[in-house]
Amino acid sequence: QVQLVESGGGLVQAGGSLRLSCAASGRTFSNIAMGWFRQAPGKEREFVARITWSGGSTYYADSVKGRFTISRDNAKNTVYLQMNSLKHEDTAVYYCAALALPGFAVNSWGQGTQVTVSS
């Protein structure tokens, strides 16, 4: 099983940017799809973005499409989430996840990193 550690969260003003990182260990990272999810206070955890093992295919939630970009560096065992044009409603704990095929079910979760967007 893969172990995941997120970093890069923080406080940012609306319209600003942040880049989250997720470092993986414990398994061959380059063979697995990866995703980002988030959970706002009082809400269920929701899908944000995912990327295939090669990085050749990405998919985004409608709410972040055009503003967020997921990418990965298999040499560094790291997946990233670049977040631009942040909105107050993007405030949440962001979780990195290793995904299993088929179906992209979550195999492993990171501990989460807090993103707070002030309006």
Side-chain angles (χ1 to χ4, degrees):
Q1 195 166 2
V2 63
Q3 288 77 48
L4 305 170
V5 178
E6 301 96 332
S7 62
L11 174 64
V12 62
Q13 288 189 333
S17 299
L18 279 176
R19 189 176 81 154
L20 306 182
S21 300
C22 173
S25 62
R27 208 195 120 174
T28 306
F29 175 77
S30 60
N31 291 342
I32 56 177
M34 298 293 295
W36 286 95
F37 294 74
R38 66 187 182 186
Q39 187 166 17
K43 295 187 177 182
E44 293 188 352
R45 195 171 298 189
E46 64 176 6
F47 166 80
V48 174
R50 68 171 181 250
I51 187 167
T52 53
W53 68 270
S54 67
S57 178
T58 57
Y59 185 76
Y60 298 91
D62 287 343
S63 58
V64 307
K65 203 173 295 182
R67 300 187 298 121
F68 290 11
T69 302
I70 189 171
S71 62
R72 66 191 295 161
D73 186 339
N74 288 342
K76 296 182 178 180
N77 286 354
T78 302
V79 63
Y80 304 97
L81 186 69
Q82 178 66 43
M83 305 185 295
N84 299 329
S85 302
L86 282 161
K87 305 176 182 179
H88 178 66
E89 50 264 42
D90 294 319
T91 295
V93 177
Y94 283 71
Y95 297 90
C96 175
L99 307 177
L101 295 177
F104 297 106
V106 175
N107 221 355
S108 299
W109 291 104
Q111 85 289 351
T113 185
Q114 176 70 47
V115 172
T116 303
V117 184
S118 62
S119 55

